[in-house]
Amino acid sequence: MGWCGGKRLAGALLALAGILLVFLCLPMQFFLIVLGIALAAAGLLLLR
């Protein structure tokens, strides 16, 4: 085990952290895009 095991564990943790960051950030952006589209649609409906 030793140093090689620790290196692998650190790599796995870094990869997991990166994937989690992507999945945590993407829904936020997706939510903001959906919110923007909803606001634009509401604005267009009010202008009619």
Side-chain angles (χ1 to χ4, degrees), residues 5-32:
K7 227 164 127 181
R8 259 172 85 187
L9 184 68
L13 284 175
L14 277 173
L16 202 65
I19 292 167
L20 276 175
L21 268 176
V22 167
F23 278 105
L24 284 173
C25 290
L26 275 178
M28 255 335 254
Q29 289 178 334
F30 180 72
F31 174 72
L32 289 173

Side-chain angles (χ1 to χ4, degrees), residues 17 37 39 41 48:
I37 291 169
L39 285 173
R48 269 183 165 192

